[in-house]
Amino acid sequence: MKDYDELLKHYELYETIGTGGFAKVKLACHILTGEMVAIKIMDKNALGSDLPRVKTEIDALKNLRHQHICQLYHVLETANKIFMVLEYCPGGELFDYIISQDRLSEEEARVVFRQILSAVAYVHSQGYAHRDLKPENLLFDEYHRLKLIDFGLCAKPKGNKDYHLQTCCGSLAYAAPELIQGKSYLGSEADVWSMGILLYVLMCGYLPFDDDNVMALYKKIMFIHLDDDCVTELSVHHRNNRQTMENLISLWQYDHLTATYLLLLAKKVRGKPVRLRHPSFSCTYASTTPKSKNLSLEDMIMSDEHCVAGLADCEWCEDGSSTGVATPQTPQFTKHWTESNGLESKSLTPVLCRESANKLKNKENVCTPKPAARNEEYFAYPEPKTPVSKSQHKREILTTPNHYSASSKVARNQCLKGTPVKTPANAAGADKLTTGVISPERRCRSVELDLHQAHMEDTPRRKGTKVFGSLERGLDKVITVLTRSKRKGSTKDGPRRLKPHYNVTTTRLVNPDQLLSEIMAVLPKKHVDFVQKGYTLKCQTQSDFGKVTMQFELEVCQLQKPDVVGIRRQRLKGDAWVYKRLVEDILSSCKV
Ligand code: H91
């Protein structure tokens, strides 16, 4: 191993802790100081046309020194390899942290975003643009401080800062419109766009523009995407097919159609049903109607006659069954109200959302209130995190964030003693390799679709928002509290003992073997190939063409206080959002 000779003079090499595109990242210890480092290892022969990317990154990192940028310490080049010795960030990716919390509170988002901003402002001040800003490229150090990594796509235009770039790069979901259009653009401006996406992800826990289909995603980013619900409603209203309707709206003539589309969209944004009213429906403000003057709230509820909208936020639902809710009588009226699938609805009932009901209580307006009849489906836009929700509380009980895991601490201690760190993956069939059943159908994509469907069937979810909840919630399904006596049945060498960490999903289970077998039973059903090593399952998915699309590890571990079993999860390769969906699907499918 000539290539490693020089490196091994100065560093003790431990396990692979990650992969980044064409590189492998290993944990190591700098012998003289005893400090842990991360070493990015690249094979020059495998790099091919990507070699300039590596040079770009090295050049940039040599010029950048900032508290929120991963520090480059040492570069070694041999005949076949390039080694980059980098600051070790044991706190994991910002991406994993966000999903473990669902989303960040405004306070925490502010702390996190300020660090990103200071790193990116510094990068720009030095004449660079990062061009691949995303939560996967921000890691936490042991003090929970963020460090920006992966400068392989960064650009330093020669000459002035206003030099326009041409290369389209980075992750589509975070890419600025000018960049994906192939226009020339300013690198720093493209970074600012990505930071906007990042801020959205921090606060919402999902992407603002997201689609499985690349073309559809492209359209959304360019705002040339028309909202499906609004188009449907307008198509039904105008008795046009969707395509004709889309073409007409896309003319953007700022006529009545433009107004109706935009106002309908504005309603949707505010969480209201995407419904058009019949043109004969008056917008007269109710309090001006003489008849309404002395009516009590109850009178108003019972009287169709007085159900004059006029309220900015008067809403309607299709459920006419509620008591005391007036149903429009006019046949013509009923006929025109439609469900969003384009079919005529049977009975449509005017209802009020909470704010309107409150106004009613303040005896101002007339319309028939229905308590808090907000349609979940329409909450497609960010809701800032509120102090403590029920589910949040539940999660907090289940997971306790910690800055770095036991493994890294053990490694650090051992490094200081000069002992190589071995990551024991012992117990149940220790060191015996068990290969999972490899399904002939390895369509990762179908897994995603199934997942979506499964969740849709499970619980009504918000459209456009998270398809699934937190990993912890997924695990609620596998919660089975086993008796202590059953635990005795488990193998002699138990799973690794780990401290709570946001990459560790806590269960209420006490039997690791049972959880392990449950996960192993679920993986093939999700088209995930795996190799078992002790309590660690090394998982991967492949495309139809046999390309490895994702690699990750699931490790059943033992937690203390509470003394329960957990699952450590680690993404090694693949799209972070696809990984999130898949792992949540796996965990929520575990039935013990
Ligand atoms: N993602 C986009 O996997 C997939 C822990 C870990 C700890 C690290 C320090 C530096 C880097 C990675 C670390 C790391 C990329 C690092 C720095 C630069 C760089 C690259 C990596 C992965 C790559 C591996 C990362 C996480 C993100 C672990 N990683 N485990 N300390 O270019 Cl500048 Cl590729």
Side-chain angles (χ1 to χ4, degrees):
M1 282 299 252
K2 259 192 158 318
D3 283 317
Y4 282 79
D5 286 353
E6 183 64 16
L7 187 79
L8 293 172
K9 277 188 203 161
H10 310 293
Y11 303 92
E12 258 171 29
L13 268 191
Y14 306 136
E15 76 265 24
T16 300
I17 50 175
T19 52
F22 39 80
K24 193 163 41 177
V25 181
K26 277 189 179 282
L27 181 65
C29 175
H30 177 247
I31 296 170
L32 274 185
T33 58
E35 287 295 299
M36 299 304 292
V37 290
I39 304 190
K40 183 170 169 177
I41 305 171
M42 287 147 291
D43 189 295
K44 282 205 239 171
N45 310 308
L47 278 174
S49 59
D50 282 323
L51 187 66
R53 255 188 83 166
V54 180
K55 301 271 181 214
T56 305
E57 177 166 41
I58 294 173
D59 286 347
L61 285 174
K62 279 182 179 173
N63 285 313
L64 300 171
R65 192 164 295 179
H66 186 270
Q67 55 174 339
H68 294 302
I69 294 177
C70 184
Q71 183 63 50
L72 174 71
Y73 298 124
H74 194 166
V75 183
L76 292 101
E77 191 173 347
T78 65
N80 301 300
K81 303 271 183 206
I82 298 176
F83 301 99
M84 287 170 69
V85 181
L86 294 148
E87 182 175 359
Y88 176 50
C89 309
E93 291 177 21
L94 174 61
F95 178 86
D96 290 314
Y97 184 70
I98 301 168
I99 63 163
S100 74
Q101 313 280 308
D102 264 3
R103 57 186 167 176
L104 307 189
S105 65
E106 283 183 29
E107 290 68 35
E108 198 172 10
R110 189 164 41 237
V111 172
V112 164
F113 195 67
R114 193 183 288 139
Q115 299 179 36
I116 301 172
L117 203 62
S118 100
V120 177
Y122 170 75
V123 169
H124 291 176
S125 74
Q126 300 304 300
Y128 290 94
H130 186 278
R131 300 200 297 179
D132 198 15
L133 295 173
K134 55 183 180 183
E136 299 91 299
N137 281 339
L138 284 148
L139 308 183
F140 285 109
D141 71 3
E142 62 183 297
Y143 305 108
H144 205 61
R145 283 180 315 207
L146 275 179
K147 306 280 170 171
L148 181 59
I149 65 156
D150 206 342
F151 284 74
L153 293 177
C154 91
K156 187 179 188 185
K158 290 182 196 82
N160 69 54
K161 282 185 204 148
D162 301 329
Y163 185 87
H164 281 70
L165 301 162
Q166 304 282 349
T167 324
C168 179
C169 53
S171 310
L172 185 55
Y174 298 85
E178 65 273 23
L179 196 143
I180 60 176
Q181 268 177 304
K183 287 183 182 169
S184 65
Y185 64 94
L186 273 178
S188 51
E189 287 182 0
D191 278 348
V192 171
W193 173 279
S194 308
M195 281 197 290
I197 307 286
L198 248 162
L199 182 57
Y200 188 104
V201 170
L202 289 177
M203 301 201 51
C204 304
Y206 54 91
L207 289 162
F209 310 114
D210 197 7
D211 208 291
D212 294 334
N213 180 294
V214 174
M215 198 55 211
L217 176 57
Y218 175 90
K219 281 187 180 176
K220 285 181 186 174
I221 296 169
M222 299 303 298
F223 304 122
I224 49 175
H225 167 81
L226 293 177
D227 182 86
D228 282 346
D229 295 330
C230 297
V231 173
T232 306
E233 185 63 8
L234 279 162
S235 312
V236 174
H237 183 84
H238 290 285
R239 294 159 205 260
N240 274 329
N241 66 39
R242 286 186 58 87
Q243 192 54 57
T244 311
M245 207 62 238
E246 281 191 18
N247 295 343
L248 287 169
I249 301 168
S250 302
L251 292 174
W252 297 118
Q253 292 199 310
Y254 287 84
D255 51 6
H256 187 236
L257 180 62
T258 304
T260 312
Y261 173 80
L262 292 176
L263 288 167
L264 206 49
L265 189 64
K267 281 182 75 170
K268 179 172 171 171
V269 170
R270 278 179 282 127
K272 296 177 175 183
V274 184
R275 298 284 183 275
L276 290 172
R277 304 185 305 176
H278 185 258
S280 67
F281 205 80
S282 159
C283 275
T284 321
Y285 190 61
S287 59
T288 60
T289 314
K291 272 188 189 175
S292 71
K293 269 190 178 154
N294 300 315
L295 288 177
S296 69
L297 184 61
E298 284 68 31
D299 293 334
M300 294 166 193
I301 292 169
M302 298 314 293
S303 163
D304 298 341
E305 207 187 336
H306 291 285
C307 185
V308 181
L311 307 165
D313 44 6
C314 179
E315 288 308 339
W316 304 84
C317 82
E318 285 140 73
D319 171 19
S321 58
S322 313
T323 47
V325 177
T327 307
Q329 302 295 304
T330 330
Q332 179 206 21
F333 183 101
T334 312
K335 209 163 177 263
H336 276 273
W337 285 79
T338 55
E339 295 180 19
S340 60
N341 62 8
L343 300 172
E344 284 186 3
S345 75
K346 312 114 243 159
S347 116
L348 293 141
T349 310
V351 291
L352 281 173
C353 66
R354 196 180 284 123
E355 297 91 296
S356 307
N358 288 338
K359 279 187 196 161
L360 266 171
K361 280 189 201 132
N362 295 335
K363 61 183 171 17
E364 269 182 57
N365 306 305
V366 265
C367 200
T368 50
K370 186 182 175 188
R374 302 191 94 172
N375 190 338
E376 279 268 289
E377 192 185 324
Y378 296 99
F379 286 90
Y381 291 83
E383 307 153 64
K385 194 173 181 176
T386 40
V388 180
S389 69
K390 257 191 197 165
S391 62
Q392 233 180 294
H393 181 63
K394 190 163 71 185
R395 270 198 312 284
E396 277 158 15
I397 294 167
L398 292 172
T399 327
T400 321
N402 193 23
H403 298 322
Y404 58 106
S405 65
S407 59
S408 56
K409 218 178 179 180
V410 170
R412 174 182 281 271
N413 292 339
Q414 300 216 7
C415 170
L416 289 167
K417 285 185 219 140
T419 324
V421 174
K422 205 173 147 235
T423 317
N426 41 19
D431 292 333
K432 194 175 72 188
L433 295 184
T434 312
T435 312
V437 185
I438 298 175
S439 152
E441 267 194 287
R442 288 157 165 166
R443 265 170 270 132
C444 181
R445 185 153 183 80
S446 67
V447 174
E448 273 186 75
L449 296 176
D450 289 352
L451 198 179
H452 194 271
Q453 206 177 345
H455 281 285
M456 290 307 178
E457 281 161 12
D458 244 23
T459 35
R461 299 242 164 207
R462 298 174 204 163
K463 200 172 170 191
T465 64
K466 285 177 280 295
V467 183
F468 42 90
S470 72
L471 292 165
E472 284 68 37
R473 246 183 285 134
L475 260 181
D476 285 355
K477 288 192 177 177
V478 292
I479 286 164
T480 309
V481 185
L482 296 167
T483 55
R484 295 275 151 183
S485 57
K486 276 192 187 160
R487 203 184 160 194
K488 285 181 193 150
S490 62
T491 37
K492 208 172 65 196
D493 303 315
R496 278 206 299 163
R497 289 203 153 258
L498 295 182
K499 280 193 174 171
H501 183 265
Y502 56 79
N503 261 11
V504 177
T505 302
T506 313
T507 74
R508 281 183 227 146
L509 294 171
V510 292
N511 187 331
D513 301 288
Q514 189 171 4
L515 182 56
L516 187 69
S517 12
E518 181 58 32
I519 300 171
M520 280 161 62
V522 166
L523 289 174
K525 293 184 198 153
K526 307 293 172 193
H527 314 296
V528 176
D529 308 333
F530 68 92
V531 170
Q532 184 203 348
K533 190 131 196 298
Y535 283 98
T536 301
L537 302 173
K538 293 175 181 292
C539 307
Q540 71 173 38
T541 58
Q542 292 182 30
S543 71
D544 286 344
F545 308 104
K547 185 174 174 259
V548 175
T549 46
M550 189 144 42
Q551 279 178 330
F552 58 95
E553 282 181 11
L554 295 176
E555 178 187 354
V556 173
C557 53
Q558 188 65 49
L559 301 166
Q560 291 152 300
K561 288 182 204 156
D563 190 4
V564 289
V565 174
I567 302 170
R568 182 189 62 86
R569 35 179 217 279
Q570 167 90 59
R571 181 175 60 92
L572 297 174
K573 180 184 176 167
D575 181 88
W577 295 96
V578 178
Y579 155 81
K580 173 187 190 286
R581 281 173 224 175
L582 181 59
V583 173
E584 290 204 340
D585 186 31
I586 293 165
L587 298 189
S588 64
S589 301
C590 287
K591 289 182 208 76
V592 187

